[in-house]
Amino acid sequence: MAEETVKAFRMQLKPGFEAEYKKRHDEIWPELSQLLKEAGITEYYIFLDEATLALFAFQKLGATDTTASLPALPIMKKWWDHMADIMEVNSDNSPVAIPCPEVFRL
């Protein structure tokens, strides 16, 4: 059986949208939340560096990780469209996500 893995990445929030970003995530659509869990995300955290507006995300992925298929799903694209006005995005409205390699674990 495969082990759990972790994935971390950085995204960028646009100035002035700190409260709106938090509000939208506090009100995450139940169907999106369920989809993320079904894709194998067992834990998902996003932290904000208030000085730079950098968002640091951390995901714990279970043995049944299918997150690579998420970008093709309509609900995921709808969420990206919903968030595109408040963060840096790619041409398809997916967030610009810079991978953060692990350098230490305790």
Side-chain angles (χ1 to χ4, degrees):
M1 180 159 83
E3 278 183 32
E4 288 185 329
T5 59
V6 294
K7 179 170 68 171
F9 49 96
R10 182 175 51 83
M11 299 174 289
Q12 189 65 43
L13 189 61
K14 292 179 180 177
F17 289 102
E18 299 89 337
E20 182 62 21
Y21 185 88
K22 179 163 180 11
K23 178 183 181 294
R24 291 184 191 185
H25 281 79
D26 287 346
E27 298 171 354
I28 193 168
W29 307 328
E31 63 272 27
L32 177 59
S33 182
Q34 184 62 36
L35 181 71
L36 297 175
K37 291 175 185 175
E38 288 171 1
I41 300 173
T42 60
E43 296 181 43
Y44 193 165
Y45 302 92
I46 302 174
F47 300 91
L48 173 65
D49 177 345
E50 293 176 330
T52 65
L53 300 182
L55 297 160
F56 173 75
F58 170 88
Q59 296 175 344
K60 185 184 264 188
L61 306 172
T64 59
D65 169 28
T66 61
T67 56
S69 66
L70 289 174
L73 301 176
I75 189 72
M76 194 80 260
K77 292 177 184 183
K78 184 177 176 185
W79 179 257
W80 291 344
D81 292 344
H82 178 61
M83 298 300 291
D85 62 324
I86 66 172
M87 58 190 307
E88 290 183 9
V89 296
N90 296 301
S91 62
D92 65 354
N93 281 346
S94 64
V96 173
I98 314 293
C100 296
E102 182 177 325
V103 295
F104 173 77
R105 185 183 300 208
L106 180 63

